[in-house]
Structure formats: C-alpha cells, structure tokens
C-alpha cells in the first residue's frame, strides 16, 4: 500500500499538520506537537509550521 502524508482531519488542533505527521510516522501526535513546541521556542518553528500547513495537502476522501 502506498503511504502518503496528509494533514489530519480527525486529529487536529490548528491545521492538522502534527496529527498528519503522527499518523504518517505511526507515533502519537502529542509527541509531534511537543517537538513543534520546542522548535517554536528555539527559532524557526512558526515559519516551518506555516510552510508545512501550506505544502502538506488535505486528505481527499
């Protein structure tokens, strides 16, 4: 089966980026959210999140 990265519709807080990454890598999205929070406070995290929200497509059912 082909594995694709999509923003999550079911497990999202803001745009579904962390939920989609968690589903793609088969890890808890809370861990991904914590990593994003560390990136936000250490530098380019906000910019990276906005770019990811634009680039990663929503899942088309």
């Amino acid at each position: 089966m082909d594995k694709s990265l999509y923003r999550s519709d079911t497990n999202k807080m803001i745009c579904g980026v962390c939920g989609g990454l968690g589903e793609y890598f088969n890890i808890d999205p809370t861990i991904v959210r914590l990593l994003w929070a560390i990136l936000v406070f250490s530098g380019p995290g906000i910019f990276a999140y906005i770019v990811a929200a634009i680039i990663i497509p929503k899942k088309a059912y």
Side-chain angles (χ1 to χ4, degrees):
M1 181 162 179
D2 190 23
K3 191 173 180 183
S4 297
L5 176 62
Y6 295 106
R7 287 186 289 159
S8 177
D9 285 337
T10 57
N11 194 1
K12 69 179 186 176
M13 291 271 194
I14 298 174
C15 292
V17 172
C18 295
L21 287 170
E23 291 172 4
Y24 183 78
F25 291 113
N26 200 22
I27 58 174
D28 188 16
T30 305
I31 295 170
V32 179
R33 288 184 185 107
L34 289 173
L35 292 173
W36 275 108
I38 291 170
L39 282 174
V40 165
F41 290 114
S42 67
I46 294 174
F47 179 72
Y49 190 88
I50 292 170
V51 169
I54 293 170
I55 292 175
I56 299 173
K58 288 181 93 173
K59 192 170 192 173
Y61 293 99

